[in-house]
């Protein structure tokens, strides 16, 4: 019985601890124990769009409703397409670059395209 986690690289379970790292005997991948010791799901929660699809950096999305930008008169129109989003976590999870600048948006107002 092994208590070490499966290799995140090749998913083989032929791993062993080495100082502060785990090492995979199959592919040679090493990764820190600390990252995997953190079992709190909230730190790497999947960010989902309005339809429940997982979003990732670089995804293209469209707005599903008009969004007023806080502290300005700018309104981002429903249907506006954002080519490449960046996930940042926090209250407004998605960082978008558009013609008007850079905006922080909530993933629940976006739809992956
Ligand atoms: Zn491996």
């Amino acid at each position: 019985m092994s208590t070490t986690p499966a290799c995140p690289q090749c998913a083989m379970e032929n791993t062993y601890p080495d100082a502060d790292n785990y090492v995979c005997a199959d592919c040679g991948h090493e990764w820190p124990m600390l990252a995997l010791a953190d079992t709190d799901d909230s730190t790497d929660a999947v960010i989902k769009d309005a339809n429940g699809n997982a979003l990732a950096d670089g995804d293209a999305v469209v707005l599903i409703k008009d969004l007023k930008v806080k502290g300005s008169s700018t309104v981002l129109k429903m249907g506006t397409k954002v080519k490449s989003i960046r996930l940042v976590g926090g209250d407004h999870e998605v960082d978008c670059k558009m013609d008007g600048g850079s905006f922080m948006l909530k993933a629940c107002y976006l739809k992956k395209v």
Side-chain angles (χ1 to χ4, degrees):
M1 280 296 286
S2 170
T3 57
T4 55
C7 173
Q9 189 98 334
C10 68
M12 299 295 282
E13 288 175 6
N14 198 6
T15 57
Y16 57 91
D18 179 28
D20 290 335
N21 291 333
Y22 289 118
V23 181
C24 172
D26 286 292
C27 72
H29 183 63
E30 291 186 29
W31 67 102
M33 286 180 189
L34 286 178
L36 290 173
D38 182 6
T39 53
D40 181 0
D41 286 340
S42 67
T43 54
D44 58 358
V46 176
I47 296 174
K48 291 179 178 168
D49 72 1
N51 291 336
N53 294 316
L55 295 172
D57 283 353
D59 275 351
V61 297
V62 291
L63 307 191
I64 60 167
K65 60 173 282 187
D66 288 355
L67 296 177
K68 200 166 184 310
V69 178
K70 239 185 188 169
S72 83
S73 58
T74 307
V75 175
L76 304 175
K77 286 283 178 203
M78 184 178 111
T80 301
K81 198 166 175 183
V82 184
K83 277 209 186 90
S84 183
I85 60 169
R86 200 164 64 84
L87 302 181
V88 292
D91 183 33
H92 290 63
E93 309 96 336
V94 182
D95 186 14
C96 306
K97 289 235 185 330
M98 295 183 223
D99 291 344
S102 182
F103 303 100
M104 301 292 290
L105 303 176
K106 283 180 177 285
C108 59
Y109 298 137
L110 305 174
K111 191 175 69 171
K112 196 169 168 174
V113 290

